[in-house]
Amino acid sequence: MTTVEVAIVGAGPVGLTTALGLARRGVSVVLLEKDEQLGRFWRASTFHPPSLDVAADLGIVDDMLEAGLVAPMYQLRDFRTGIVARFDLNAISDETAWPFRLQLEQYKYSNIVAAAVQTRPEAQIRFSSAVTGMRIHDDHVELEINGSETLTASWVVAGDGSSSIVRELAGIAFEGETYPSRRLLLSIEESLNELVPDLDLVNYVYAPVGAGMVLRIPDLWRVMFTIPSGIDDATARSVEYYGSRLSELLGVQPEVVSTQVYYIHQKVAASMRRGRVLLVGDAAHANSPTGGMGLNSGIHDAFDLITTLTSESADLDRALDAWADRRRRAAVEEVHRVSRRNTVDLGEPDDVARGRKQDDVRAIAQDSQQAKEWLMESSMIASVRRHPIGVGRVAPYTTGPRSFVAEVVR
Ligand SMILES: Cc1cc2nc3c(=O)[nH]c(=O)nc-3n(C[C@H](O)[C@H](O)[C@H](O)COP(=O)(O)OP(=O)(O)OC[C@H]3O[C@@H](n4cnc5c(N)ncnc54)[C@H](O)[C@@H]3O)c2cc1C
């Protein structure tokens, strides 16, 4: 039997972030990953300013900036008429060192964090190590690995994603809903910004059949839209179908190199803690990706947990209960609220109601005070101010030649 201070289940981006933060603060951690290597998922692609504050604390922000694309502008557009409103994050440059979104593939973030974890003597990543059982005791937790080995840890952090086995073994319910509509995710290597010249790197699209997104990430463009209920997955993935939807949404039909269908969940764990078991990331909450908040909020869970566990609080039990409560409220009151609103508003089926919503957003974008409030919310800065995660304020980023303007894309 092996004994460690903290066992983290799942080497996804949130588990890795937790491991790096704890190891940098001298805590011995073992990260258990069921797969043979890190995942290469086409999922998160947007990092908001508070997550870059966390990355700065963890010593990885320069690598992220090097690998990603700086997106200071984003837009909301109508599927028929084009741009409705554009927001410039420079309007909040007095509030953050990073007045932009960083567009970076999730798997590249994971690789950057994993490389940093591997330099730490306090941390070990074990691949092909699936957690299959768990017993929670008052002063430790026993994990069963691959159905045979036992590992004992003072604390277990569940970063094993939305189907979390640790959450299930801890008897914690995952409450909420799965939206009936599915989304189609298309990857496009062609220069979409040359075909549709008024695109920004991040674009949200109003459409009567459901919200759409057009996002630039370093390697390619990604277009996501809602699949109506009468269309099955195979039809949705056919060139004929997605070609006509691309024409409708953007007026062009670029070549698509891969397709993926996914469901949207708005769920939250009944509690983020049971004794010595702590849930982070998608194991604790799942949400619509419109607005790019899922992974970001997982990174915030992780950082808040790192600072809480290492705070030397006289009453750690109480501090962890407060952490669990704070992060659950952030998931429901901030991430669920904003991502649901984004998804519903962009997908408003009624033309008149959709037009009214667009008028409201136009008015917000034209009023500097309201635009700033909108940006504080969509950048998640307001969220971490209402539910502080313990990250220090980072001085404006002035080193290096990078200017805060949209990168030239292919
Ligand atoms: C299309 C799409 C776009 C998105 N875009 C964004 C975005 O722009 N911004 C954003 O913030 N979020 C976005 N998200 C959400 C984001 O991808 C997730 O929030 C993120 O992956 C959660 O990371 P995680 O580490 O908690 O879980 P996961 O990434 O699911 O990782 C869980 C890990 O645990 C491992 N594991 C599972 N079970 C076990 C076990 N029994 N034992 C050991 N290991 C185990 C898995 O193999 C995996 O490596 C998007 C999601 C989708 C689907």
Side-chain angles (χ1 to χ4, degrees), residues 67 142 147 152 192 202 211 233 267 336 339 383:
E142 283 172 55
T152 301
L192 209 48
V202 176
D233 287 6
K267 293 191 174 181
H336 277 187
S339 59
S383 162

Side-chain angles (χ1 to χ4, degrees), residues 312-334:
E312 293 176 8
S313 162
D315 192 346
L316 184 56
D317 199 47
R318 201 168 169 171
L320 285 169
D321 275 347
W323 164 82
D325 179 57
R326 190 163 57 240
R327 292 313 304 159
R328 190 177 185 282
R329 280 193 291 115
V332 174
E333 294 168 16
E334 310 288 344

Side-chain angles (χ1 to χ4, degrees), residues 45-49 52 65 68-76 85-93 96-104 199-204 216 371-372 374-376 378-379 381 402-409:
S45 59
T46 285
F47 290 81
H48 291 294
L52 297 173
L65 290 169
L69 296 174
V70 168
M73 307 284 300
Y74 78 92
Q75 65 174 258
L76 287 84
R86 290 181 90 203
F87 289 93
D88 182 350
L89 278 88
N90 280 302
I92 54 168
S93 54
T96 174
W98 332 97
F100 50 81
R101 292 169 170 218
L102 188 73
Q103 292 297 103
L104 175 67
L199 285 182
D200 286 306
L201 301 188
V202 176
N203 312 270
Y204 295 107
R216 172 72 197 188
K372 186 169 179 184
W374 172 283
L375 284 165
M376 290 295 280
S378 61
S379 66
I381 298 173
R402 187 179 285 269
S403 61
F404 299 143
V405 291
E407 295 273 302
V408 176
V409 293

Side-chain angles (χ1 to χ4, degrees), residues 9-16 32-35 37-39 41-48 106 129-132 159-166 185 213 215 222 224 260 262-263 280-283 285 287 289 291-298 380:
V9 185
V14 177
L16 283 161
L32 303 166
E33 170 54 49
K34 70 175 170 53
D35 292 341
Q37 56 189 21
L38 296 182
F41 303 117
W42 292 112
R43 288 165 69 181
S45 59
T46 285
F47 290 81
H48 291 294
Q106 173 166 325
S129 301
V131 167
T132 45
D160 51 343
S162 59
S163 309
S164 170
I165 188 172
V166 175
L185 168 57
M213 288 191 270
L215 307 174
R222 298 200 310 186
M224 281 163 264
Q260 190 184 321
Y262 66 94
Y263 283 88
V280 291
D282 277 17
H285 43 74
N287 62 275
M293 295 184 164
L295 171 55
N296 282 271
S297 61
M380 301 184 83

Side-chain angles (χ1 to χ4, degrees), residues 115-127:
V117 169
Q118 275 153 353
T119 66
R120 304 298 313 185
E122 306 88 345
Q124 186 198 356
I125 306 181
R126 286 183 51 182
F127 290 102

Side-chain angles (χ1 to χ4, degrees), residues 300-312:
H300 306 166
D301 296 341
F303 196 78
D304 195 352
L305 180 60
I306 292 159
T307 50
T308 304
L309 267 177
T310 56
S311 64
E312 293 176 8

